[in-house]
Amino acid sequence: MRQSRRVNPVMRRSRLAAVRLPARIATVICMTLSLLTSFLLGVTPVGEAAAVGKSSSRTASLSITKLTPVVTASSGLHIVVKISNKTSNVLPVGTLTTSTNPTYTFVSKTDIQQWAEGGTPIPTPTTLSTLTIPAVAAKSSISVTVNITAQDTGLKKITSWGPKPLLLDYSTGSDSSSVPIQAHSFLTRSSDGLSSVKTPAMSLTVAMPLTSRRWSSNSNALSSLLSTRASKSTTGSAESTSASNIMTLSTPNADSLRTWKRVLSEHPLLQSVVDPDVLSSSQVALRVSGISQTSSFDITAAATISASGLSSAGISNSSWNAAKGTSLARTTLGDSATSVESYAWQGNGQWTEDALETALKQGFTTVIAQGSFDQQDSSTVHTGKYVVPTDSGNITVLAAQKVLSGLAQGNASSTTADAEDTNAGRLVRFMAQSAFYQMQEPYVTRNPLVLLGSSTTAEEASELMTALESASWIKLTDLKTLSRQKAYLSGSNALAVVPQSSGISATQRKFLRDMLSSLAKARSEIRRFSRKVLAESPSESSSGDTEDNERADSSDIWINNLLNAQSLVARRSFAWTGTTSSRASLVRMSSSIPSGLYDAISITPSETITVVSETASMPVTVRNGNPYPIRIKLSSLTDSMEIVTSRISETTVPALSETQVTFTVRVATSGSATAHISLLDRDGESFSKERTTTITSTLQINDKSGLVIIIIAVIFAILGFWRQFHRQKDPDE
């Protein structure tokens, strides 16, 4: 890992000050206008107002499930509101009032945010609708529809385009002391049909990552890969077909990809940056605006880990670089010459200098950053392009506009924005916010970037694009156009805003290290099986048999396929879209590959052996369920000094077959002992669970009764000899 280049703190502050000065001046001007407007309208200045209402209380809640995002001369205003009763009592008949302020103009980002949070009492004197709401049963909800036609006198009062405050006010009963429940939203009027001056539209690029949030294992494909001989026609390079089949696309699945295909076709300026793995695994022909790193590999996290740690886990640099993704995309698209733009999508960490240089070395000249890239508090929106110098050259950063991207990804602008708890409420705020940005500097050329999230649905993306396509103040552009724009910051000014910390916590780094350690162990076990368990390659022996040599080549391909499968699983476990549980599942899948190899080898010893002499034989059956022969050792060790077996026996077991190994048993006494039998590789390292056999000896020569008989026999022999030499002989003898 290279030493990060650091900018002198004094220089950094001076650069930031130079960049922020115009923004601060603009902020002062906007705040002055806000105070003046508030004074003229009799409104409490921003920052001094108390909250006047919320979209929920202990008794009821108010949620916007539908709201016209852009109001035109002919659209009218249509609202669907869900009113929920949280209590165990019936809510009495109530009233829902919809009102706006046709002449109000938001003058600062603080002004518009305060309204969304209900923190500034902007008057809404024009009532658009008043509905009587029936009683709501306990613990239930009702849906209320508000339809305001284009000819409504209240809408006709709006003579200037842009966002206006929209207030939904729900109250129950006749008790004047009851506190109404309010939702503070927006009515954004387009310039359609208005005589006000039209300003140039603001360019806007909307991009989405099309990647998988989860891969599921194909147990049948994995079992087949482990148990089937490899074909010589199968190449062991990259991911072979058999290796790639062990995982299937889970989310998005085929149905959702077909929906995405339709949405991308209907909205040609929605930019899709597709994971090449998703592209190759899908049977759906998608429109591709660009490709990201293969398997959505988390470059920002990888920059904090040593290259050797990734390599040991089976993640090589060549498996996720720009060239790899381009090659995979071209193969899938069926055109080896097609031009495909590569974009490195931000992972779970920040684009630090190290991360940017890592991406550049991997062939990515452009990276896409989330809204946290530039922490400057700019009062106005700007082009989301930075050109950052690194030791390996310049790299372009396309950075998302934070507020708009947050809303587009399903996040409210704040926890207290009371109308942004639904997709409809956030979409309306998005359109109002984008109109506000255009009105801030209507004649300044800029091109912000909006990023959708990996969990954004096709329906949500379609709703956003439909609204943007009807917005008179927005001109949609593509990623190539944004990349050609003049950079907002470049050189040392851009380097000054690059995050100094990866943002990856110590807990996250430990999890990644533990994950890589488990992946590395799995890969090491596959290599161990290849080198120390599989039978020696015939090409290394004295045999010149052609068939044996072909079989050796086949086993090499088989092992390569297993290693490629493990590498594929390892790389996908390092995706920035992965959760802790999904990553743990992939790590278990990686470990199951070597486990399957070793578990296919088993031993079946005799249950009990009875020995009636000093030596005997103990047979052990060894079964090999792998598609190639193995050469291994068996170890036998008893728990007795008087009953022992031969220690080590070596054998070769053919593919998908079994053989019998015989141990010699030696006994010195009667009794019993347990033999502990295990499988060893050729270096003597165990790889199986221990099996046991009981050995029982009935040998009697050394027991106590036999000893007594021998002693008595000796005594009688001695007495016999003594009598023979001491008896009186007859005279005739």
Side-chain angles (χ1 to χ4, degrees), residues 526-553:
I526 297 174
R527 292 191 181 279
R528 174 192 169 202
F529 181 88
S530 172
R531 297 167 181 169
K532 302 178 182 180
V533 175
L534 277 181
E536 289 182 355
S537 171
S539 61
E540 299 174 359
S541 66
S542 58
S543 172
D545 185 77
T546 303
E547 183 180 352
D548 285 345
N549 282 322
E550 290 180 352
R551 185 161 56 247
D553 292 342

mmCIF file of all heavy atoms in Angstrom, residues 526-553:
data_model
loop_
_atom_site.group_PDB
_atom_site.id
_atom_site.type_symbol
_atom_site.label_atom_id
_atom_site.label_comp_id
_atom_site.label_asym_id
_atom_site.label_seq_id
_atom_site.Cartn_x
_atom_site.Cartn_y
_atom_site.Cartn_z
ATOM 1 N N ILE A 526 -8.059 -26.791 -0.506
ATOM 2 C CA ILE A 526 -8.208 -27.346 -1.858
ATOM 3 C C ILE A 526 -6.832 -27.661 -2.445
ATOM 4 O O ILE A 526 -6.619 -28.721 -3.047
ATOM 5 C CB ILE A 526 -8.965 -26.361 -2.770
ATOM 6 C CG1 ILE A 526 -10.386 -26.130 -2.245
ATOM 7 C CG2 ILE A 526 -9.016 -26.888 -4.207
ATOM 8 C CD1 ILE A 526 -11.160 -25.064 -3.002
ATOM 9 N N ARG A 527 -5.895 -26.751 -2.264
ATOM 10 C CA ARG A 527 -4.536 -26.972 -2.775
ATOM 11 C C ARG A 527 -3.874 -28.148 -2.053
ATOM 12 O O ARG A 527 -3.142 -28.936 -2.669
ATOM 13 C CB ARG A 527 -3.701 -25.704 -2.594
ATOM 14 C CG ARG A 527 -4.163 -24.543 -3.471
ATOM 15 C CD ARG A 527 -3.152 -23.418 -3.443
ATOM 16 N NE ARG A 527 -3.567 -22.294 -4.251
ATOM 17 C CZ ARG A 527 -3.421 -22.216 -5.577
ATOM 18 N NH1 ARG A 527 -2.879 -23.230 -6.221
ATOM 19 N NH2 ARG A 527 -3.808 -21.150 -6.233
ATOM 20 N N ARG A 528 -4.101 -28.270 -0.768
ATOM 21 C CA ARG A 528 -3.548 -29.392 -0.016
ATOM 22 C C ARG A 528 -4.082 -30.718 -0.553
ATOM 23 O O ARG A 528 -3.334 -31.687 -0.711
ATOM 24 C CB ARG A 528 -3.905 -29.236 1.459
ATOM 25 C CG ARG A 528 -3.509 -30.416 2.340
ATOM 26 C CD ARG A 528 -4.156 -30.282 3.695
ATOM 27 N NE ARG A 528 -4.030 -31.490 4.490
ATOM 28 C CZ ARG A 528 -4.816 -31.822 5.491
ATOM 29 N NH1 ARG A 528 -5.800 -31.011 5.829
ATOM 30 N NH2 ARG A 528 -4.648 -32.941 6.166
ATOM 31 N N PHE A 529 -5.379 -30.758 -0.842
ATOM 32 C CA PHE A 529 -5.967 -31.969 -1.398
ATOM 33 C C PHE A 529 -5.301 -32.316 -2.723
ATOM 34 O O PHE A 529 -5.003 -33.489 -3.001
ATOM 35 C CB PHE A 529 -7.470 -31.762 -1.597
ATOM 36 C CG PHE A 529 -8.183 -32.957 -2.153
ATOM 37 C CD1 PHE A 529 -8.692 -33.937 -1.315
ATOM 38 C CD2 PHE A 529 -8.336 -33.116 -3.529
ATOM 39 C CE1 PHE A 529 -9.343 -35.042 -1.829
ATOM 40 C CE2 PHE A 529 -8.984 -34.215 -4.051
ATOM 41 C CZ PHE A 529 -9.493 -35.189 -3.196
ATOM 42 N N SER A 530 -5.082 -31.292 -3.541
ATOM 43 C CA SER A 530 -4.478 -31.521 -4.852
ATOM 44 C C SER A 530 -3.061 -32.065 -4.746
ATOM 45 O O SER A 530 -2.679 -32.977 -5.481
ATOM 46 C CB SER A 530 -4.478 -30.206 -5.640
ATOM 47 O OG SER A 530 -3.738 -30.336 -6.833
ATOM 48 N N ARG A 531 -2.281 -31.538 -3.812
ATOM 49 C CA ARG A 531 -0.862 -31.875 -3.737
ATOM 50 C C ARG A 531 -0.554 -33.077 -2.849
ATOM 51 O O ARG A 531 0.436 -33.776 -3.069
ATOM 52 C CB ARG A 531 -0.086 -30.659 -3.221
ATOM 53 C CG ARG A 531 -0.155 -29.450 -4.147
ATOM 54 C CD ARG A 531 0.344 -28.198 -3.454
ATOM 55 N NE ARG A 531 0.263 -27.031 -4.332
ATOM 56 C CZ ARG A 531 0.442 -25.787 -3.922
ATOM 57 N NH1 ARG A 531 0.687 -25.548 -2.641
ATOM 58 N NH2 ARG A 531 0.358 -24.779 -4.778
ATOM 59 N N LYS A 532 -1.409 -33.333 -1.845
ATOM 60 C CA LYS A 532 -1.046 -34.335 -0.845
ATOM 61 C C LYS A 532 -2.054 -35.472 -0.693
ATOM 62 O O LYS A 532 -1.824 -36.391 0.095
ATOM 63 C CB LYS A 532 -0.864 -33.655 0.518
ATOM 64 C CG LYS A 532 0.192 -32.565 0.515
ATOM 65 C CD LYS A 532 0.291 -31.888 1.870
ATOM 66 C CE LYS A 532 1.317 -30.762 1.847
ATOM 67 N NZ LYS A 532 1.432 -30.095 3.169
ATOM 68 N N VAL A 533 -3.179 -35.395 -1.434
ATOM 69 C CA VAL A 533 -4.180 -36.457 -1.330
ATOM 70 C C VAL A 533 -4.415 -37.131 -2.680
ATOM 71 O O VAL A 533 -4.450 -38.358 -2.771
ATOM 72 C CB VAL A 533 -5.506 -35.918 -0.767
ATOM 73 C CG1 VAL A 533 -6.577 -36.998 -0.775
ATOM 74 C CG2 VAL A 533 -5.301 -35.383 0.650
ATOM 75 N N LEU A 534 -4.586 -36.328 -3.724
ATOM 76 C CA LEU A 534 -4.728 -36.921 -5.047
ATOM 77 C C LEU A 534 -3.505 -37.763 -5.369
ATOM 78 O O LEU A 534 -2.379 -37.424 -4.982
ATOM 79 C CB LEU A 534 -4.882 -35.831 -6.112
ATOM 80 C CG LEU A 534 -6.279 -35.237 -6.338
ATOM 81 C CD1 LEU A 534 -6.215 -34.206 -7.449
ATOM 82 C CD2 LEU A 534 -7.298 -36.311 -6.678
ATOM 83 N N ALA A 535 -3.728 -38.868 -6.090
ATOM 84 C CA ALA A 535 -2.606 -39.720 -6.483
ATOM 85 C C ALA A 535 -1.645 -38.925 -7.350
ATOM 86 O O ALA A 535 -2.038 -37.985 -8.049
ATOM 87 C CB ALA A 535 -3.108 -40.947 -7.235
ATOM 88 N N GLU A 536 -0.367 -39.290 -7.303
ATOM 89 C CA GLU A 536 0.625 -38.589 -8.091
ATOM 90 C C GLU A 536 0.270 -38.635 -9.557
ATOM 91 O O GLU A 536 -0.238 -39.632 -10.069
ATOM 92 C CB GLU A 536 2.006 -39.208 -7.887
ATOM 93 C CG GLU A 536 2.605 -38.943 -6.526
ATOM 94 C CD GLU A 536 3.982 -39.538 -6.391
ATOM 95 O OE1 GLU A 536 4.410 -40.236 -7.326
ATOM 96 O OE2 GLU A 536 4.609 -39.308 -5.356
ATOM 97 N N SER A 537 0.542 -37.547 -10.238
ATOM 98 C CA SER A 537 0.268 -37.504 -11.667
ATOM 99 C C SER A 537 1.118 -38.535 -12.380
ATOM 100 O O SER A 537 2.320 -38.619 -12.154
ATOM 101 C CB SER A 537 0.593 -36.103 -12.211
ATOM 102 O OG SER A 537 0.541 -36.107 -13.610
ATOM 103 N N PRO A 538 0.525 -39.367 -13.259
ATOM 104 C CA PRO A 538 1.297 -40.364 -13.985
ATOM 105 C C PRO A 538 2.440 -39.761 -14.789
ATOM 106 O O PRO A 538 3.432 -40.421 -15.058
ATOM 107 C CB PRO A 538 0.252 -41.009 -14.901
ATOM 108 C CG PRO A 538 -1.041 -40.797 -14.201
ATOM 109 C CD PRO A 538 -0.903 -39.461 -13.540
ATOM 110 N N SER A 539 2.291 -38.479 -15.163
ATOM 111 C CA SER A 539 3.369 -37.844 -15.928
ATOM 112 C C SER A 539 4.623 -37.695 -15.096
ATOM 113 O O SER A 539 5.715 -37.506 -15.622
ATOM 114 C CB SER A 539 2.905 -36.475 -16.426
ATOM 115 O OG SER A 539 2.596 -35.636 -15.334
ATOM 116 N N GLU A 540 4.484 -37.774 -13.749
ATOM 117 C CA GLU A 540 5.645 -37.665 -12.876
ATOM 118 C C GLU A 540 6.241 -39.027 -12.569
ATOM 119 O O GLU A 540 7.266 -39.139 -11.918
ATOM 120 C CB GLU A 540 5.235 -36.977 -11.558
ATOM 121 C CG GLU A 540 4.703 -35.551 -11.757
ATOM 122 C CD GLU A 540 4.172 -34.973 -10.465
ATOM 123 O OE1 GLU A 540 4.210 -35.686 -9.452
ATOM 124 O OE2 GLU A 540 3.714 -33.821 -10.463
ATOM 125 N N SER A 541 5.579 -40.125 -13.008
ATOM 126 C CA SER A 541 6.064 -41.468 -12.743
ATOM 127 C C SER A 541 6.775 -42.010 -13.967
ATOM 128 O O SER A 541 6.927 -41.343 -14.987
ATOM 129 C CB SER A 541 4.889 -42.379 -12.364
ATOM 130 O OG SER A 541 4.039 -42.526 -13.478
ATOM 131 N N SER A 542 7.215 -43.248 -13.869
ATOM 132 C CA SER A 542 7.946 -43.864 -14.965
ATOM 133 C C SER A 542 7.028 -44.375 -16.057
ATOM 134 O O SER A 542 7.477 -44.775 -17.123
ATOM 135 C CB SER A 542 8.803 -45.030 -14.435
ATOM 136 O OG SER A 542 7.969 -45.983 -13.800
ATOM 137 N N SER A 543 5.734 -44.385 -15.795
ATOM 138 C CA SER A 543 4.785 -44.903 -16.775
ATOM 139 C C SER A 543 4.611 -43.927 -17.913
ATOM 140 O O SER A 543 4.538 -42.723 -17.728
ATOM 141 C CB SER A 543 3.425 -45.157 -16.105
ATOM 142 O OG SER A 543 2.468 -45.472 -17.079
ATOM 143 N N GLY A 544 4.560 -44.449 -19.114
ATOM 144 C CA GLY A 544 4.356 -43.603 -20.280
ATOM 145 C C GLY A 544 3.007 -43.831 -20.910
ATOM 146 O O GLY A 544 2.802 -43.530 -22.083
ATOM 147 N N ASP A 545 2.088 -44.394 -20.154
ATOM 148 C CA ASP A 545 0.770 -44.737 -20.686
ATOM 149 C C ASP A 545 0.004 -43.469 -21.055
ATOM 150 O O ASP A 545 -0.172 -42.567 -20.251
ATOM 151 C CB ASP A 545 -0.007 -45.540 -19.644
ATOM 152 C CG ASP A 545 -1.327 -46.025 -20.208
ATOM 153 O OD1 ASP A 545 -1.299 -46.986 -20.966
ATOM 154 O OD2 ASP A 545 -2.358 -45.401 -19.864
ATOM 155 N N THR A 546 -0.462 -43.391 -22.297
ATOM 156 C CA THR A 546 -1.134 -42.197 -22.804
ATOM 157 C C THR A 546 -2.435 -41.924 -22.069
ATOM 158 O O THR A 546 -2.746 -40.800 -21.702
ATOM 159 C CB THR A 546 -1.409 -42.347 -24.303
ATOM 160 O OG1 THR A 546 -0.178 -42.581 -24.969
ATOM 161 C CG2 THR A 546 -2.058 -41.087 -24.867
ATOM 162 N N GLU A 547 -3.193 -42.971 -21.819
ATOM 163 C CA GLU A 547 -4.478 -42.801 -21.132
ATOM 164 C C GLU A 547 -4.283 -42.231 -19.741
ATOM 165 O O GLU A 547 -5.028 -41.364 -19.299
ATOM 166 C CB GLU A 547 -5.202 -44.140 -21.059
ATOM 167 C CG GLU A 547 -6.581 -44.034 -20.429
ATOM 168 C CD GLU A 547 -7.290 -45.365 -20.374
ATOM 169 O OE1 GLU A 547 -6.784 -46.342 -20.959
ATOM 170 O OE2 GLU A 547 -8.352 -45.426 -19.737
ATOM 171 N N ASP A 548 -3.241 -42.673 -19.036
ATOM 172 C CA ASP A 548 -2.970 -42.140 -17.702
ATOM 173 C C ASP A 548 -2.614 -40.667 -17.770
ATOM 174 O O ASP A 548 -3.001 -39.874 -16.921
ATOM 175 C CB ASP A 548 -1.835 -42.926 -17.037
ATOM 176 C CG ASP A 548 -2.299 -44.297 -16.567
ATOM 177 O OD1 ASP A 548 -3.525 -44.495 -16.500
ATOM 178 O OD2 ASP A 548 -1.438 -45.147 -16.289
ATOM 179 N N ASN A 549 -1.848 -40.262 -18.780
ATOM 180 C CA ASN A 549 -1.477 -38.859 -18.906
ATOM 181 C C ASN A 549 -2.697 -37.993 -19.186
ATOM 182 O O ASN A 549 -2.819 -36.888 -18.672
ATOM 183 C CB ASN A 549 -0.447 -38.684 -20.028
ATOM 184 C CG ASN A 549 0.952 -39.098 -19.594
ATOM 185 O OD1 ASN A 549 1.331 -38.843 -18.457
ATOM 186 N ND2 ASN A 549 1.676 -39.757 -20.467
ATOM 187 N N GLU A 550 -3.625 -38.469 -19.998
ATOM 188 C CA GLU A 550 -4.853 -37.723 -20.246
ATOM 189 C C GLU A 550 -5.661 -37.583 -18.970
ATOM 190 O O GLU A 550 -6.254 -36.555 -18.696
ATOM 191 C CB GLU A 550 -5.675 -38.428 -21.326
ATOM 192 C CG GLU A 550 -5.043 -38.337 -22.706
ATOM 193 C CD GLU A 550 -5.878 -39.053 -23.748
ATOM 194 O OE1 GLU A 550 -6.850 -39.722 -23.345
ATOM 195 O OE2 GLU A 550 -5.559 -38.937 -24.935
ATOM 196 N N ARG A 551 -5.658 -38.632 -18.149
ATOM 197 C CA ARG A 551 -6.387 -38.582 -16.897
ATOM 198 C C ARG A 551 -5.757 -37.551 -15.960
ATOM 199 O O ARG A 551 -6.445 -36.837 -15.248
ATOM 200 C CB ARG A 551 -6.399 -39.969 -16.256
ATOM 201 C CG ARG A 551 -7.239 -40.026 -15.000
ATOM 202 C CD ARG A 551 -7.627 -41.442 -14.627
ATOM 203 N NE ARG A 551 -6.478 -42.313 -14.484
ATOM 204 C CZ ARG A 551 -6.201 -43.339 -15.294
ATOM 205 N NH1 ARG A 551 -6.988 -43.602 -16.323
ATOM 206 N NH2 ARG A 551 -5.139 -44.102 -15.100
ATOM 207 N N ALA A 552 -4.426 -37.451 -15.992
ATOM 208 C CA ALA A 552 -3.750 -36.464 -15.152
ATOM 209 C C ALA A 552 -4.113 -35.053 -15.575
ATOM 210 O O ALA A 552 -4.380 -34.175 -14.757
ATOM 211 C CB ALA A 552 -2.242 -36.671 -15.229
ATOM 212 N N ASP A 553 -4.150 -34.809 -16.901
ATOM 213 C CA ASP A 553 -4.547 -33.491 -17.383
ATOM 214 C C ASP A 553 -5.965 -33.171 -16.942
ATOM 215 O O ASP A 553 -6.279 -32.048 -16.559
ATOM 216 C CB ASP A 553 -4.447 -33.441 -18.909
ATOM 217 C CG ASP A 553 -3.014 -33.521 -19.404
ATOM 218 O OD1 ASP A 553 -2.094 -33.264 -18.591
ATOM 219 O OD2 ASP A 553 -2.829 -33.836 -20.577
#
